[in-house]
Amino acid sequence: MSEQAQYTPLDKPTRQLRWLAVAYIILLVLEGALRKWVLPGFSDLLLLARDPIVLLAYAIAMIHGKFPVNRLVISGLILVALWSVETILFGHGNLLVTGFGFRANYLHIPFALIIGTVFYRSDLIVLGKWWLLATLLMTAIIILQFNAPQSAWINRSIGGSEGGGFSGAMGKYRPPGTFSFIVGIVWFYTYSMAFLVAGMTQHTRYPKWLLAVGAAAVLLAIPISISRSLLLAVGLTFTVGMLTSALQKHALLRLLRVAFFLCLALFAVNQLSIFDNAKEAFLSRWETSTGEDRGGVKHAIGDRIIDEFIGPFSGDENLSYFGSGIGAGTQPGNKLLSGRRGFNLGEGEWYRLTGEGGVILGGLFILWRIWLTYKLSIYAFIKLRSGNGMGVIFLSAVIFNLLIGNLGQTTVHGFTIMGIGLTIAAMRPRPQITKTTSETSSPES
């Protein structure tokens, strides 16, 4: 007689929720392509493309008792609902803007927790394989965009207009890939790095060629993007992955695996002429934006990040107790209220929140996001102590957006929701049952 471990079967509602989570992630990566290339006439409507998936998931979860009900979910709902009522009664009073503000700040948050409860660590490993394959394709797309003129079809902007790239350096533009804006590329490759580091240090389920080529694709994408944010975000996740591995058993072996694949990837990309050309453009923009005339790296990057946290509360005489109303600081909200695009309350997220909700409601919502970040971080570090470092790695990919990411920007919003869910899933082994059998067969994959 032998014992065989098998996964506990998934019930139908859980399977349905898993497919909706997959659809959400796929649409997050492709909705920019739909807005630019496939359905440009429906560009504004496609901003809400993921909402039907979320609402359907809520309906299934509520019917079958799988909707997450906890202090975070309830307190967040009460806070944002009060904020919305206050906006209608005393703020800008626009129902559409209020609805978009509710959607940006809260609507998808329970869905993030649903992702975390229907996916498991093993599912994340499978998703990572597909994500790394998509990374190869995304890198091919941004290479084409980097080399093509802004008038080319591949460089169309949202709505089908010309010029989808953002100003970069040396006559080159920052390519957005399949996304509407360069910010999508930043967070796409940050998760590519998370899957890479996890594959190199936390499990051995990926083929070696995929890890090597995937690492090369990420290294190539950094200069091609001409984006400082991409370098910093990918660098943070890589650094956290290294520190996480150093705190685990067999640390030297884990770090040697990373060193091997990194050296292999660096050797490969250095053979490509486009890497040299892109590196020149990237370094030119870095020097221009962080030069001594701009205060150096400390002022251009360090002080800017610090200002994101303390700026909204540092003696601004225009800061009110209640703000102008939820949603007013988002680009769609500003367009509906004033007819102009842009961030009328500032690009920084805490500036937006305090501008919309004042020091009371905006401040409380900031504290709520800090609380969510704290709970997720504590959970991740507890799991690290028991030997599972994947949660900390994926936490590093979402923590910036969770704290100060602009949730009014639909792509940042989507990656934040996905990141919360994947961080939780990374720490959850799939339940197993022990079955005694006289025959030997392979466990369910």
Side-chain angles (χ1 to χ4, degrees):
M1 304 289 285
S2 64
E3 288 189 350
Q4 171 195 306
Q6 292 185 327
Y7 290 122
T8 302
L10 302 173
D11 56 34
K12 184 177 179 180
T14 298
R15 293 197 302 271
Q16 292 172 334
L17 292 171
R18 283 159 64 91
W19 280 113
L20 289 173
V22 170
Y24 187 96
I25 294 170
I26 292 174
L27 195 52
L28 170 62
V29 176
L30 295 180
E31 70 183 18
L34 296 176
R35 298 179 69 199
K36 296 188 297 184
W37 302 326
V38 182
L39 298 169
F42 297 93
S43 176
D44 290 343
L45 184 61
L46 287 170
L47 277 171
L48 308 177
R50 284 174 274 118
D51 289 25
I53 294 174
V54 171
L55 296 176
L56 179 57
Y58 289 169
I60 294 172
M62 288 178 179
I63 291 172
H64 297 281
K66 295 181 179 294
F67 190 87
V69 179
N70 53 49
R71 287 181 296 175
L72 273 167
V73 171
I74 295 172
S75 60
L77 176 60
I78 292 173
L79 176 57
V80 178
L82 287 174
W83 192 355
S84 300
V85 172
E86 184 270 335
T87 296
I88 297 299
L89 296 178
F90 307 107
H92 56 68
N94 187 301
L95 289 174
L96 287 177
V97 176
T98 300
F100 188 84
F102 182 91
R103 181 244 186 211
N105 289 335
Y106 181 79
L107 181 61
H108 292 205
I109 292 293
F111 184 73
L113 304 184
I114 289 175
I115 293 176
T117 55
V118 299
F119 280 169
Y120 300 98
R121 187 177 187 271
S122 57
D123 298 313
L124 209 61
I125 295 172
V126 174
L127 174 63
K129 181 178 180 180
W130 290 103
W131 194 279
L132 291 179
L133 290 171
T135 299
L136 308 184
L137 181 59
M138 187 70 73
T139 303
I141 292 173
I142 65 172
I143 288 173
L144 292 175
Q145 291 173 330
F146 182 83
N147 286 323
Q150 288 296 294
S151 58
W153 173 84
I154 201 167
N155 277 323
R156 286 182 182 174
S157 181
I158 54 174
S161 59
E162 286 188 4
F166 283 74
S167 178
M170 300 178 63
K172 294 294 185 179
Y173 290 79
R174 287 175 278 173
T178 60
F179 300 96
S180 304
F181 305 101
I182 184 64
V183 70
I185 286 295
V186 171
W187 298 113
F188 176 86
Y189 280 101
T190 300
Y191 284 95
S192 297
M193 178 56 72
F195 283 117
L196 274 171
V197 173
M200 294 175 188
T201 66
Q202 304 300 312
H203 63 84
T204 56
R205 293 277 296 275
Y206 300 152
K208 291 182 176 60
W209 70 265
L210 182 58
L211 292 174
V213 177
V218 173
L219 288 176
L220 189 57
I222 291 173
I224 289 176
S225 72
I226 323 179
S227 170
R228 295 173 302 166
S229 297
L230 191 153
L231 173 63
L232 295 172
V234 166
L236 172 63
T237 297
F238 177 78
T239 301
V240 170
M242 296 302 95
L243 293 174
T244 299
S245 300
L247 295 173
Q248 294 178 284
K249 293 180 179 179
H250 310 297
L252 181 60
L253 179 60
R254 297 172 193 266
L255 296 176
L256 284 175
R257 280 174 57 84
V258 175
F260 170 75
F261 287 112
L262 188 61
C263 290
L264 199 61
L266 279 170
F267 175 79
V269 297
N270 270 307
Q271 310 307 308
L272 305 175
S273 59
I274 189 173
F275 182 73
D276 292 329
N277 296 335
K279 187 168 59 176
E280 289 181 12
F282 180 88
L283 291 176
S284 175
R285 181 167 185 268
W286 181 274
E287 292 171 3
T288 301
S289 58
T290 60
E292 291 301 322
D293 58 327
R294 291 180 176 249
V297 174
K298 177 182 179 298
H299 176 74
I301 297 178
D303 291 353
R304 181 178 174 182
I305 293 175
I306 293 173
D307 182 68
E308 293 276 358
F309 290 97
I310 67 174
F313 305 101
S314 58
D316 187 348
E317 59 184 16
N318 296 319
L319 186 61
S320 67
Y321 285 104
F322 294 101
S324 55
I326 192 170
T330 64
Q331 288 208 48
N334 185 39
K335 184 178 180 182
L336 286 170
L337 292 174
S338 67
R340 300 187 301 271
R341 287 189 177 273
F343 300 97
N344 66 323
L345 298 177
E347 291 189 43
E349 178 71 341
W350 286 15
Y351 281 98
R352 176 183 77 85
L353 294 175
T354 53
E356 291 183 356
V359 292
I360 297 178
L361 293 172
L364 285 173
F365 189 70
I366 288 172
L367 290 175
W368 183 84
R369 281 173 64 166
I370 293 173
W371 182 28
L372 174 56
T373 306
Y374 169 77
K375 298 291 286 185
L376 201 59
S377 301
I378 290 297
Y379 187 25
F381 282 102
I382 288 174
K383 291 297 181 181
L384 174 61
R385 291 181 63 184
S386 64
N388 182 356
M390 282 184 67
V392 175
I393 292 172
F394 279 89
L395 175 67
S396 72
V398 73
I399 194 168
F400 181 88
N401 282 334
L402 193 51
L403 284 173
I404 58 173
N406 187 349
L407 297 186
Q409 206 285 332
T410 186
T411 305
V412 173
H413 178 270
F415 275 111
T416 305
I417 298 303
M418 182 191 80
I420 296 170
L422 297 189
T423 300
I424 297 171
M427 299 179 279
R428 299 180 62 242
R430 185 166 173 180
Q432 295 181 336
I433 56 176
T434 301
K435 180 180 179 181
T436 302
T437 176
S438 58
E439 298 181 359
T440 301
S441 59
S442 60
E444 179 185 346
S445 60

